[in-house]
Amino acid sequence: MYIAFSALRQLTVDNNKQNNPDSLIEHEPLQRLEGYRAACEKYRDEIAAIQKYIPGWMPAFNR
């Protein structure tokens, strides 16, 4: 999760350097992260059940 957040944070910083604050591109990576986190929260019971058989498993985060 930290690696995904770091990558998204860097994209936001790079977009801010372009001086285009109204661009949707700027917010898309953070929206994707929030969506991923919301999905993980929603399906936490299912994720926990899978992790019983595959310890440490997490759903893939597709950028």
Side-chain angles (χ1 to χ4, degrees):
M1 188 70 152
Y2 175 77
I3 293 170
F5 180 75
S6 295
L8 294 173
R9 192 166 135 203
Q10 184 60 41
L11 286 174
T12 303
V13 169
D14 290 344
N15 286 336
N16 285 337
K17 290 180 181 178
Q18 295 175 357
N19 295 326
N20 193 359
D22 296 328
S23 174
L24 291 176
I25 295 170
E26 203 174 287
H27 301 288
E28 184 180 352
L30 293 176
Q31 290 172 343
R32 287 178 182 262
L33 177 62
E34 288 301 317
Y36 176 79
R37 292 177 66 198
C40 287
E41 180 64 27
K42 181 178 179 180
Y43 295 106
R44 70 176 178 252
D45 294 334
E46 289 82 357
I47 292 170
I50 293 169
Q51 288 177 341
K52 287 181 183 177
Y53 300 100
I54 307 171
W57 179 86
M58 286 298 292
F61 178 76
N62 298 324
R63 296 186 344 163

